[in-house]
Amino acid sequence: MSAHPGPRHIVVVGASLAGTATARALRERGYDGRVTLVGDEPHPPYDRPPLSKQLLAGEREIGDIALPSTDGLDVELRTGAAATALHPAERTLVLADGGRLEWDALVIATGAAARPWPAPVPGGVHTLRTLDDARALRRELAAEDARLLVVGAGFLGSEAAATAAELGVPVTLVEAGEAPMARGVGTVAGDFVARLHREAGVDLRTGTTVRSFTGTGRVTGAHLDDGAHVPATVVLPALGDVPNTAWLRGSGLLLDGAVVCDEYGRALAEDGTAVPGVLAVGDASRRPHPLVEGTLHLGHWSAAVEHAAVAARVLLHPAGDGELPRLPAAVPSFWSDQYGVRFRSLGLPHLADEARTVEYDVPGRHLEVTYHRGGELVGVLTANRTRRLAAHRPRLAEVFGRRRAAAAAL
């Protein structure tokens, strides 16, 4: 019998960061019931941020990016087992191999997939979201005549372009906006990144996008909206991602891309009520945030870890012990490595209505920008100034906490 009251069998669907962190958090909180971790890939769980950097560059392999092993946690790990359907009323999960798992509680941690190109593509057009994706792209870039076209200069596209350029591969980077990463961190930081790309020899084209690819069996280039044609032997559309929730259609869960949850990650049904025993974490979830009306989808590494800790707390909360205590206001964070520059961010820069430049030094590789909404600090981004973040974190926590308390009082 479990030392903690609660479910006897917890199934976690998704064996990446959020899923493995949930399994680990359950054990760390003393849960000794059955835990099954289900993953659709055949590989042991691994960390995804290195895919566009060290692994793509050939500096690391899967053993170097593996997530902490579940060995010793008494977790049943089922790899190569994609979920295809969920029946909450029967508390049953259906797998692609025809298997079925019964559960007392279930955590949806299926993450997100690369947004595909919206039309058929010739050979040589890749996505980058999985280990196999990264390995395939790396093989292509190793060809003597390789020439890479990256469509979309968000974080992933910028990182992949930087990695390829440092490998000596000619790179064209196409971005519909006015600067790389500008949708996430604004035009000042975007201009800083643009200068890094151009200094490295990347052919950066902004204010345009790909209209169509050329080549029949194999890609030879692309026509752009501005009338130009760019040659390429390899193409990476970096168009963002889509939550892996298509398998939940027909389950009765409320979906808005990701699973719509309450602030604790408890999944909501289509009628707005909580679905008993079902939670969602990481990229597969969206939940209320004090800076927005409705819910927010946070695709950050830090959010996956924080969601996992909350999920374990909710699942093991003693029944009948009143409402769960109010959660602290977490401060999201992310990082990006490009050309030897470490970008670090706290908060939610993309929700700002004003950006203030504290430092902008491209030759020195230093940047600091603060982001404000209604005059209040909501985010900060630095380049090679990581130590400066320590002063901003408590201010951001105070703002987020105050706004959360105000929202709860309404």
Side-chain angles (χ1 to χ4, degrees), residues 346-371:
L346 292 176
L348 299 169
H350 71 286
L351 295 182
D353 54 31
E354 178 190 7
R356 302 174 188 173
T357 304
V358 179
E359 182 179 19
Y360 186 102
D361 178 11
V362 176
R365 297 296 200 263
H366 292 136
L367 175 73
E368 182 179 359
V369 182
T370 59
Y371 300 85

Side-chain angles (χ1 to χ4, degrees), residues 306-325:
E306 290 158 0
H307 291 176
V310 171
R313 182 178 174 186
V314 170
L315 288 169
L316 303 182
H317 185 68
D321 195 26
E323 289 296 320
L324 285 162

